[in-house]
Amino acid sequence: YKLSEKLADEIWNIVIKWDALAKDTVGKQIIRAADSIGANIAEGDGRGSYQDHRRFIKIARGSLYETKHWLRRAYTRQLLTTTQVETLKPIIDELSPRLNAYLKSIGNTSEIAKGGNMRSRTVREGSVGFLILVGIGLFGGLVLWLQGVQLGNRSYKFAVEFASAQGMQIGTPVRYRGVAVGKITAIKASANGVEVTMEIAPGTLVMPRDVAIEANKSGLIGESSIDITIPLVPTVPLR
């Protein structure tokens, strides 16, 4: 930007000394073109988008090419001295590649911004997907909880044959060493008695092979329960 100002000021100082015809023809054109370089750089920098910024820098580059055209016309018409050309040429030679480099830097910055926007979009979409998965997991857990299913707390079943049901029914509690560990899930009459299916939880509970299983009643109203006890003689644990 400072180079463009320097170029415009140098050209002004040269043209101001020309005669009326030269000023009115070549002079006005070259001053407008030179002033347009810095004006478009400044306006592009003040724009709010990369697209506008790049567009105005391209216009500034076009104004520089126009300035070079009018300088050649002025030199051909002997309006410029050799000393004046030697003063202007280094400024133009430095300004042209700097404008191109500046334009490319705006493109790179724009691409970086786009990449950042894409990463932000990816993060947002990933977060939404994660929240959806969490929601599905919570909903599934709620359904299992409402159905009485406990994850990581599996159970196992076994059947015991009794002579009679003795007031037992589905849901009657099963106790091991006095602690409730399950319930009766099925009662079915068999040829020699009643087959009672019990469900024990957790599935990691290990009982000896030859435990004693008895149907008892307790409490004032005679509530039924199945009690699993360990005989006094040590036994081998069930596996």
Side-chain angles (χ1 to χ4, degrees), residues 106-123:
I106 297 173
N108 292 337
T109 305
S110 177
E111 292 300 322
I112 291 172
K114 289 179 181 179
N117 291 335
M118 289 299 294
R119 286 192 295 271
S120 299
R121 180 180 177 184
T122 302
V123 171

PDB file of all heavy atoms in Angstrom, residues 106-123:
ATOM      1  N   ILE A 106      -4.100 -13.861   0.401  1.00  0.00           N
ATOM      2  CA  ILE A 106      -5.532 -13.777   0.735  1.00  0.00           C
ATOM      3  C   ILE A 106      -6.206 -15.079   0.374  1.00  0.00           C
ATOM      4  O   ILE A 106      -7.049 -15.585   1.106  1.00  0.00           O
ATOM      5  CB  ILE A 106      -6.194 -12.606  -0.020  1.00  0.00           C
ATOM      6  CG1 ILE A 106      -5.581 -11.286   0.421  1.00  0.00           C
ATOM      7  CG2 ILE A 106      -7.700 -12.597   0.242  1.00  0.00           C
ATOM      8  CD1 ILE A 106      -6.056 -10.094  -0.383  1.00  0.00           C
ATOM      9  N   GLY A 107      -5.805 -15.698  -0.756  1.00  0.00           N
ATOM     10  CA  GLY A 107      -6.381 -16.989  -1.147  1.00  0.00           C
ATOM     11  C   GLY A 107      -6.065 -18.058  -0.141  1.00  0.00           C
ATOM     12  O   GLY A 107      -6.934 -18.834   0.267  1.00  0.00           O
ATOM     13  N   ASN A 108      -4.808 -18.110   0.347  1.00  0.00           N
ATOM     14  CA  ASN A 108      -4.414 -19.117   1.332  1.00  0.00           C
ATOM     15  C   ASN A 108      -5.160 -18.923   2.631  1.00  0.00           C
ATOM     16  O   ASN A 108      -5.608 -19.873   3.273  1.00  0.00           O
ATOM     17  CB  ASN A 108      -2.905 -19.040   1.581  1.00  0.00           C
ATOM     18  CG  ASN A 108      -2.105 -19.472   0.371  1.00  0.00           C
ATOM     19  OD1 ASN A 108      -2.611 -20.210  -0.468  1.00  0.00           O
ATOM     20  ND2 ASN A 108      -0.880 -19.003   0.267  1.00  0.00           N
ATOM     21  N   THR A 109      -5.314 -17.659   3.060  1.00  0.00           N
ATOM     22  CA  THR A 109      -6.053 -17.378   4.293  1.00  0.00           C
ATOM     23  C   THR A 109      -7.494 -17.806   4.163  1.00  0.00           C
ATOM     24  O   THR A 109      -8.094 -18.356   5.083  1.00  0.00           O
ATOM     25  CB  THR A 109      -5.978 -15.878   4.619  1.00  0.00           C
ATOM     26  OG1 THR A 109      -4.637 -15.471   4.666  1.00  0.00           O
ATOM     27  CG2 THR A 109      -6.644 -15.584   5.954  1.00  0.00           C
ATOM     28  N   SER A 110      -8.058 -17.581   2.973  1.00  0.00           N
ATOM     29  CA  SER A 110      -9.438 -17.984   2.739  1.00  0.00           C
ATOM     30  C   SER A 110      -9.592 -19.486   2.831  1.00  0.00           C
ATOM     31  O   SER A 110     -10.536 -20.006   3.419  1.00  0.00           O
ATOM     32  CB  SER A 110      -9.898 -17.490   1.366  1.00  0.00           C
ATOM     33  OG  SER A 110     -11.205 -17.928   1.077  1.00  0.00           O
ATOM     34  N   GLU A 111      -8.605 -20.232   2.220  1.00  0.00           N
ATOM     35  CA  GLU A 111      -8.681 -21.686   2.274  1.00  0.00           C
ATOM     36  C   GLU A 111      -8.546 -22.190   3.693  1.00  0.00           C
ATOM     37  O   GLU A 111      -9.211 -23.138   4.109  1.00  0.00           O
ATOM     38  CB  GLU A 111      -7.571 -22.290   1.397  1.00  0.00           C
ATOM     39  CG  GLU A 111      -7.765 -22.047  -0.095  1.00  0.00           C
ATOM     40  CD  GLU A 111      -9.062 -22.641  -0.601  1.00  0.00           C
ATOM     41  OE1 GLU A 111      -9.423 -23.726  -0.146  1.00  0.00           O
ATOM     42  OE2 GLU A 111      -9.709 -22.003  -1.447  1.00  0.00           O
ATOM     43  N   ILE A 112      -7.656 -21.533   4.488  1.00  0.00           N
ATOM     44  CA  ILE A 112      -7.504 -21.942   5.884  1.00  0.00           C
ATOM     45  C   ILE A 112      -8.801 -21.736   6.639  1.00  0.00           C
ATOM     46  O   ILE A 112      -9.233 -22.571   7.440  1.00  0.00           O
ATOM     47  CB  ILE A 112      -6.359 -21.133   6.540  1.00  0.00           C
ATOM     48  CG1 ILE A 112      -5.031 -21.544   5.942  1.00  0.00           C
ATOM     49  CG2 ILE A 112      -6.342 -21.341   8.049  1.00  0.00           C
ATOM     50  CD1 ILE A 112      -3.869 -20.674   6.378  1.00  0.00           C
ATOM     51  N   ALA A 113      -9.442 -20.591   6.360  1.00  0.00           N
ATOM     52  CA  ALA A 113     -10.720 -20.317   7.039  1.00  0.00           C
ATOM     53  C   ALA A 113     -11.763 -21.351   6.650  1.00  0.00           C
ATOM     54  O   ALA A 113     -12.532 -21.829   7.485  1.00  0.00           O
ATOM     55  CB  ALA A 113     -11.202 -18.915   6.678  1.00  0.00           C
ATOM     56  N   LYS A 114     -11.777 -21.727   5.349  1.00  0.00           N
ATOM     57  CA  LYS A 114     -12.727 -22.749   4.917  1.00  0.00           C
ATOM     58  C   LYS A 114     -12.446 -24.074   5.598  1.00  0.00           C
ATOM     59  O   LYS A 114     -13.350 -24.791   6.016  1.00  0.00           O
ATOM     60  CB  LYS A 114     -12.652 -22.920   3.397  1.00  0.00           C
ATOM     61  CG  LYS A 114     -13.231 -21.745   2.617  1.00  0.00           C
ATOM     62  CD  LYS A 114     -13.109 -21.985   1.129  1.00  0.00           C
ATOM     63  CE  LYS A 114     -13.662 -20.809   0.322  1.00  0.00           C
ATOM     64  NZ  LYS A 114     -13.514 -21.028  -1.141  1.00  0.00           N
ATOM     65  N   GLY A 115     -11.125 -24.410   5.702  1.00  0.00           N
ATOM     66  CA  GLY A 115     -10.757 -25.653   6.386  1.00  0.00           C
ATOM     67  C   GLY A 115     -11.196 -25.636   7.834  1.00  0.00           C
ATOM     68  O   GLY A 115     -11.674 -26.634   8.372  1.00  0.00           O
ATOM     69  N   GLY A 116     -11.027 -24.461   8.481  1.00  0.00           N
ATOM     70  CA  GLY A 116     -11.471 -24.345   9.870  1.00  0.00           C
ATOM     71  C   GLY A 116     -12.965 -24.516   9.996  1.00  0.00           C
ATOM     72  O   GLY A 116     -13.460 -25.154  10.931  1.00  0.00           O
ATOM     73  N   ASN A 117     -13.708 -23.942   9.012  1.00  0.00           N
ATOM     74  CA  ASN A 117     -15.164 -24.091   9.032  1.00  0.00           C
ATOM     75  C   ASN A 117     -15.562 -25.542   8.838  1.00  0.00           C
ATOM     76  O   ASN A 117     -16.511 -26.038   9.469  1.00  0.00           O
ATOM     77  CB  ASN A 117     -15.792 -23.226   7.937  1.00  0.00           C
ATOM     78  CG  ASN A 117     -15.652 -21.732   8.226  1.00  0.00           C
ATOM     79  OD1 ASN A 117     -15.522 -21.341   9.395  1.00  0.00           O
ATOM     80  ND2 ASN A 117     -15.691 -20.900   7.200  1.00  0.00           N
ATOM     81  N   MET A 118     -14.844 -26.260   7.955  1.00  0.00           N
ATOM     82  CA  MET A 118     -15.151 -27.669   7.741  1.00  0.00           C
ATOM     83  C   MET A 118     -14.878 -28.484   8.989  1.00  0.00           C
ATOM     84  O   MET A 118     -15.653 -29.381   9.350  1.00  0.00           O
ATOM     85  CB  MET A 118     -14.323 -28.202   6.570  1.00  0.00           C
ATOM     86  CG  MET A 118     -14.761 -27.687   5.205  1.00  0.00           C
ATOM     87  SD  MET A 118     -16.456 -28.148   4.803  1.00  0.00           S
ATOM     88  CE  MET A 118     -16.262 -29.927   4.676  1.00  0.00           C
ATOM     89  N   ARG A 119     -13.740 -28.173   9.676  1.00  0.00           N
ATOM     90  CA  ARG A 119     -13.445 -28.903  10.908  1.00  0.00           C
ATOM     91  C   ARG A 119     -14.493 -28.628  11.961  1.00  0.00           C
ATOM     92  O   ARG A 119     -14.922 -29.541  12.675  1.00  0.00           O
ATOM     93  CB  ARG A 119     -12.049 -28.517  11.405  1.00  0.00           C
ATOM     94  CG  ARG A 119     -10.906 -29.119  10.583  1.00  0.00           C
ATOM     95  CD  ARG A 119      -9.584 -28.945  11.302  1.00  0.00           C
ATOM     96  NE  ARG A 119      -9.213 -27.549  11.425  1.00  0.00           N
ATOM     97  CZ  ARG A 119      -8.509 -26.901  10.505  1.00  0.00           C
ATOM     98  NH1 ARG A 119      -8.130 -27.508   9.401  1.00  0.00           N
ATOM     99  NH2 ARG A 119      -8.182 -25.635  10.684  1.00  0.00           N
ATOM    100  N   SER A 120     -14.932 -27.358  12.051  1.00  0.00           N
ATOM    101  CA  SER A 120     -15.962 -27.013  13.035  1.00  0.00           C
ATOM    102  C   SER A 120     -17.257 -27.744  12.722  1.00  0.00           C
ATOM    103  O   SER A 120     -17.944 -28.241  13.615  1.00  0.00           O
ATOM    104  CB  SER A 120     -16.202 -25.498  13.044  1.00  0.00           C
ATOM    105  OG  SER A 120     -15.027 -24.809  13.408  1.00  0.00           O
ATOM    106  N   ARG A 121     -17.571 -27.814  11.416  1.00  0.00           N
ATOM    107  CA  ARG A 121     -18.793 -28.516  11.018  1.00  0.00           C
ATOM    108  C   ARG A 121     -18.696 -29.998  11.354  1.00  0.00           C
ATOM    109  O   ARG A 121     -19.659 -30.605  11.826  1.00  0.00           O
ATOM    110  CB  ARG A 121     -19.016 -28.324   9.516  1.00  0.00           C
ATOM    111  CG  ARG A 121     -20.269 -29.024   9.006  1.00  0.00           C
ATOM    112  CD  ARG A 121     -20.440 -28.800   7.525  1.00  0.00           C
ATOM    113  NE  ARG A 121     -21.582 -29.528   7.018  1.00  0.00           N
ATOM    114  CZ  ARG A 121     -21.923 -29.573   5.742  1.00  0.00           C
ATOM    115  NH1 ARG A 121     -21.219 -28.908   4.852  1.00  0.00           N
ATOM    116  NH2 ARG A 121     -22.970 -30.275   5.355  1.00  0.00           N
ATOM    117  N   THR A 122     -17.503 -30.577  11.108  1.00  0.00           N
ATOM    118  CA  THR A 122     -17.307 -31.994  11.425  1.00  0.00           C
ATOM    119  C   THR A 122     -17.460 -32.253  12.916  1.00  0.00           C
ATOM    120  O   THR A 122     -18.077 -33.230  13.338  1.00  0.00           O
ATOM    121  CB  THR A 122     -15.909 -32.451  10.961  1.00  0.00           C
ATOM    122  OG1 THR A 122     -15.783 -32.226   9.552  1.00  0.00           O
ATOM    123  CG2 THR A 122     -15.700 -33.928  11.251  1.00  0.00           C
ATOM    124  N   VAL A 123     -16.875 -31.360  13.726  1.00  0.00           N
ATOM    125  CA  VAL A 123     -16.982 -31.507  15.177  1.00  0.00           C
ATOM    126  C   VAL A 123     -18.429 -31.417  15.610  1.00  0.00           C
ATOM    127  O   VAL A 123     -18.903 -32.194  16.445  1.00  0.00           O
ATOM    128  CB  VAL A 123     -16.134 -30.439  15.891  1.00  0.00           C
ATOM    129  CG1 VAL A 123     -16.420 -30.434  17.390  1.00  0.00           C
ATOM    130  CG2 VAL A 123     -14.651 -30.696  15.652  1.00  0.00           C
TER     131      VAL A 123
END
